[in-house]
Amino acid sequence: MPTDTRYKYLLLLALALLATAAIYIPGMTGGYVFDDFPNIIDNTAIHVTQSSYTAWINAALSSPASALHRPLASLTFAANWLFTGSAPGPMKVTNLIIHLLNGALLYGMLVELLRLYAINRKSRGDVDEPRARWLAFAVTLAWLLLPINLQAVLYVVQRMESLCQLFVLAGLWGYLRERRRMLEADSIKQETSACVRAAAYLAVGTVLGVTAKESSVLLPLYAFLADLILFGLRRADGKPQRSLWLLYTLMLFVPAVLGLVWLMPHVLPAQAWANRTFTLGSRLLTEPMVLMEYLRWTLLPTPGSLSLYHDEIKASTGLLQPPATLAGFVVMFALMALAVWQRRERPLLSLGIAWYYAAHVLTATIIPLELVYEHRNYFAAIGTLLAVFSLLIGTAREIALPIVRGAIAALLIVWFAGLTLLRAQEWSDPLHLAMIEADRRDQSPRANYEAARLLIVVSNYQASPALDKAWHYLRRSAAIPGSSTLSEQAMLMVADHDAQGDDAAIWQSMLAKLRVQPISEEDISGLISLTRCRVQTSCMFDPANLQQAFLAALSQPAPTGRLLAAYAMFARELLNDIPLTEEYLRRAVEKSPGEAAYRLDIARIYASQGKLELVVQQIDALRRLNKYGQLDAQIAALEQLAERGPKTP
């Protein structure tokens, strides 16, 4: 292609990036939401104010979102905090920059993909390079403006997803480029060299991506599907490319089998699902329906369909409970069959469908994650758009009904831009966003609770229209079947603020839920918040009621380490019962031996009682957990406590 034509597309790409930035600008004034709080605001390890080796190591290993800690993502949050403090605006600007970089990488990757596609279709001669560039640009522009991608930009903690995909897109681009060089190679040496570089791109992209989020392990799968559908993993002469089969055996098939073997013991036991309101079976029934909804929200989004919260979607209990469950399976198998059927005639359609489902292999199968989150479509949306726009725009110079197809593609992009702008404006103010979400989703416990929480903050617990509205949302949230006890917790904090109020009915509602529903992390967070509120004397309820709530939760099968530790805190702070505190901390350590906080707490109890042998045992265990010196200060403090002898904890 002539250089001036290439520059034309690069100029168009630059304009697309500027337009995307302009559309997102209103959302830069918004605040933190939902999981931003445990991962950023409450995660003191990333609150770096002075640069030091220890501070950066602690920040890198601080993420509560994953056992792998996602260190690169955490380090970027810490860097934001060091230079701009706790303000959410700069955090969101960083996310926007990552999104724009991903857009540029996506365009480059798609151009390379379509070059491979042109080689695939060379015998037919039906690929026009300018048309192919238009397809790459249209998919990139639509993806940049796609409303379902908004959370990866304005929901700060979802930088983990967008940063991960930056390495995925870069690795995939590099692989496709080297794959083209393998096909164009003049010698075995050149072909082998290109294959080694292709493997390196996959390996480096996967490893670096994992430091932001585990989703990058799907990079070899994306590359495999592209190669399989476009070329059948063959050489230019049509013979099997054995080096590629070896590459994928080592980088995809063997790791997949090993990962599955490792994962099964963690997902098959019923205990793995103890904090979920669904089982493994019901999750597998539900996810095809969820994937069908994702497609609708991607291609035909409306203001009412997109949301931070989708907890109104309940797990399926049968193929017709709800009926959309069966529809989800029908759509999923129909699209898979379409991809197989159209592999030769319309390989880009097949690849788009394959990428869409591949992108959900981790989040829509057997791992006990929550059922629905829009940001999980960040890469999947590329597959969706590639499939649809390959039909609308195509790569041939002559297509049927070009004006109609082009108009549909243009209308989709304009609709995406307008709705993303509307959503960015809604995200510009936390309270405004929360109330919109609650009013649109009257069956979402989280949306209604969040609106109430922010209204309570605005009211400062004083009688006002804001507090009246908060009560409205809290009552509605609490009444939704299957909702957690967060709303009851908030109602108690309002009713008993500074003086005990009429709280009997609220406690009864909380106890009823804790006795029969699976105990969720939200329930435990509510109990911890009530304990702290009572300790600070901001809440004046009877501690005996809170103890009953704890005991109801603990009566459920297999209480988690976090719940056991929460009751230990209650016993220490409100009952002043040290033996009970010690008992439940010991149980928490047994349940979660890798949680350093529980070992630190029980070691302090042992030190205060002069049980030096037990203190030493905990110090030894903490040293084994002490990666890169992150626990040095706490271990030194414990050693000093042990030296000073018994003291009231």
Side-chain angles (χ1 to χ4, degrees):
M1 175 173 287
T3 302
D4 58 342
T5 304
R6 187 175 294 113
Y7 284 147
K8 178 185 76 173
Y9 287 105
L10 291 177
L11 177 60
L12 286 174
L13 177 62
L15 293 174
L17 298 176
L18 288 173
T20 302
I23 284 173
Y24 272 104
I25 282 176
M28 297 297 108
T29 62
Y32 293 109
V33 296
F34 198 35
D35 280 347
D36 287 340
F37 291 98
N39 286 279
I40 299 173
I41 298 301
D42 300 332
N43 183 8
T44 56
I46 70 158
H47 301 174
V48 176
T49 55
Q50 291 185 336
S51 181
S52 69
Y53 174 78
T54 302
W56 293 112
I57 290 296
N58 287 338
L61 301 176
S62 68
S63 174
S66 164
L68 296 180
H69 300 296
R70 302 174 182 175
L72 182 60
S74 295
L75 286 173
T76 65
F77 294 137
N80 268 128
W81 198 284
L82 175 63
F83 292 109
T84 59
S86 62
M91 296 271 192
K92 293 173 187 282
V93 170
T94 303
N95 284 15
L96 176 58
I97 293 171
I98 293 171
H99 183 59
L100 298 178
L101 287 173
N102 282 339
L105 289 171
L106 174 59
Y107 176 74
M109 184 273 287
L110 289 174
V111 168
E112 200 61 60
L113 176 74
L114 292 171
R115 285 176 177 167
L116 276 173
Y117 176 69
I119 295 174
N120 171 277
R121 310 285 284 192
K122 189 174 182 179
S123 61
R124 300 191 181 198
D126 61 353
V127 177
D128 179 64
E129 187 171 352
R131 191 81 180 183
R133 289 250 176 187
W134 270 116
L135 175 59
F137 174 74
V139 171
T140 300
L141 177 60
W143 184 84
L144 281 166
L145 300 174
L146 204 59
I148 203 170
N149 282 343
L150 176 136
Q151 288 187 18
V153 179
L154 298 183
Y155 186 2
V156 176
V157 75
Q158 294 314 325
R159 178 184 305 175
M160 294 176 177
E161 182 69 41
S162 60
L163 186 59
C164 161
Q165 298 304 332
L166 184 147
F167 296 106
V168 169
L169 290 168
L172 190 54
W173 184 2
Y175 172 85
L176 294 172
R177 184 175 60 185
E178 296 305 326
R179 181 66 173 108
R180 176 170 55 84
R181 289 174 176 171
M182 290 174 66
L183 293 167
E184 296 172 345
D186 295 326
S187 66
I188 296 297
K189 181 178 179 181
Q190 289 180 352
E191 184 179 291
T192 302
S193 179
C195 185
V196 170
R197 291 194 299 272
Y201 275 114
L202 294 184
V204 173
T206 300
V207 171
L208 291 180
V210 165
T211 64
K213 194 174 182 180
E214 295 80 356
S215 305
S216 73
V217 298
L218 296 174
L219 169 56
L221 177 58
Y222 300 146
F224 173 75
L225 290 171
D227 209 318
L228 179 67
I229 291 171
L230 293 183
F231 288 101
L233 278 80
R234 295 180 179 275
R235 302 172 55 155
D237 59 8
K239 296 180 180 179
Q241 185 77 54
R242 291 188 177 85
S243 59
L244 285 179
W245 283 107
L246 176 61
L247 183 157
Y248 285 115
T249 298
L250 296 176
M251 299 189 66
L252 178 60
F253 306 137
V254 170
V257 171
L258 293 177
L260 199 59
V261 169
W262 174 84
L263 189 60
M264 282 303 181
H266 295 82
V267 301
L268 291 180
Q271 184 179 347
W273 303 82
N275 290 336
R276 297 299 183 194
T277 57
F278 47 85
T279 63
L280 172 59
S282 62
R283 189 177 203 280
L284 292 175
L285 277 174
T286 308
E287 285 302 324
M289 175 180 65
V290 172
L291 295 180
M292 179 179 66
E293 289 296 293
Y294 285 156
L295 286 173
R296 180 170 66 88
W297 299 340
T298 300
L299 294 173
L300 298 172
T302 62
S305 65
L306 299 173
S307 177
L308 178 61
Y309 310 101
H310 287 288
D311 52 331
E312 78 282 359
I313 296 178
K314 305 302 181 185
S316 302
T317 56
L319 277 176
L320 294 175
Q321 296 175 337
T325 305
L326 180 58
F329 276 95
V330 170
V331 169
M332 181 176 71
F333 287 121
L335 287 175
M336 289 180 176
L338 178 64
V340 174
W341 175 43
Q342 291 292 307
R343 179 190 162 193
R344 295 189 182 279
E345 287 299 315
R346 295 179 177 85
L348 294 178
L349 170 65
S350 296
L351 179 58
I353 295 171
W355 272 357
Y356 173 74
Y357 285 105
H360 291 290
V361 163
L362 294 181
T363 58
T365 53
I366 62 175
I367 300 175
L369 304 170
E370 294 203 33
L371 295 174
V372 190
Y373 276 120
E374 291 176 11
H375 64 262
R376 293 173 182 171
N377 287 270
Y378 198 67
F379 186 93
I382 297 171
T384 305
L385 294 173
L386 178 62
V388 172
F389 278 74
S390 68
L391 296 178
L392 292 176
I393 294 176
T395 57
R397 182 177 290 106
E398 300 294 335
I399 61 172
L401 301 174
I403 296 177
V404 174
R405 293 187 183 190
I408 294 173
L411 285 173
L412 281 175
I413 292 173
V414 170
W415 179 250
F416 295 161
L419 187 52
T420 298
L421 176 60
L422 175 63
R423 290 289 286 162
Q425 291 170 341
E426 291 174 352
W427 278 67
S428 65
D429 175 76
L431 179 58
H432 177 61
L433 172 65
M435 294 183 67
I436 286 175
E437 296 274 327
D439 290 337
R440 286 176 179 164
R441 321 196 86 74
D442 59 1
Q443 291 303 303
S444 167
R446 285 174 175 167
N448 285 272
Y449 168 78
E450 181 61 13
R453 186 186 69 82
L454 291 176
L455 284 165
I456 291 169
V457 172
V458 169
S459 72
N460 195 28
Y461 293 91
Q462 303 302 311
S464 63
L467 192 60
D468 293 340
K469 189 68 172 176
W471 275 107
H472 164 73
Y473 287 129
L474 288 174
R475 292 190 183 100
R476 187 162 74 184
S477 175
I480 296 171
S483 62
S484 74
T485 57
L486 274 183
S487 295
E488 282 85 357
Q489 166 241 302
M491 286 192 278
L492 288 167
M493 294 175 76
V494 174
D496 296 319
H497 184 71
D498 291 337
Q500 186 168 354
D502 184 9
D503 60 6
I506 306 172
W507 283 113
Q508 289 175 5
S509 175
M510 175 176 274
L511 288 170
K513 290 182 178 181
L514 293 175
R515 285 172 179 150
V516 299
Q517 295 181 179
I519 304 303
S520 67
E521 291 300 310
E522 291 180 352
D523 293 319
I524 300 172
S525 295
L527 293 170
I528 293 172
S529 294
L530 287 172
T531 301
R532 290 172 176 166
C533 190
R534 188 64 180 84
V535 169
Q536 296 164 0
T537 67
S538 298
C539 300
M540 299 307 295
F541 55 76
D542 185 349
N545 289 325
L546 181 55
Q547 186 171 26
Q548 287 184 359
F550 266 112
L551 294 176
L554 289 165
S555 69
Q556 295 273 17
T560 65
R562 185 169 179 243
L563 177 58
L564 295 167
Y567 187 55
M569 179 179 71
F570 169 82
R572 180 177 63 239
E573 300 293 342
L574 292 179
L575 301 181
N576 197 27
D577 188 333
I578 300 307
L580 188 63
T581 302
E582 180 182 335
E583 175 190 348
Y584 276 86
L585 279 175
R586 178 181 53 77
R587 290 177 59 184
V589 168
E590 291 173 354
K591 180 69 72 170
S592 304
E595 181 54 63
Y598 306 158
R599 292 189 179 276
L600 287 166
D601 284 345
I602 199 168
R604 294 185 187 107
I605 297 287
Y606 290 151
S608 70
Q609 297 171 337
K611 300 178 180 178
L612 300 186
E613 183 177 345
L614 295 177
V615 175
V616 170
Q617 289 179 7
Q618 294 304 320
I619 289 176
D620 289 342
L622 287 165
R623 283 182 176 138
R624 291 192 292 272
L625 296 173
N626 188 18
K627 300 176 182 177
Y628 309 106
Q630 67 186 95
L631 297 173
D632 283 350
Q634 294 92 324
I635 291 173
L638 275 182
E639 291 172 336
Q640 291 178 2
L641 277 177
E643 290 174 1
R644 288 202 298 265
K647 180 181 177 182
T648 302

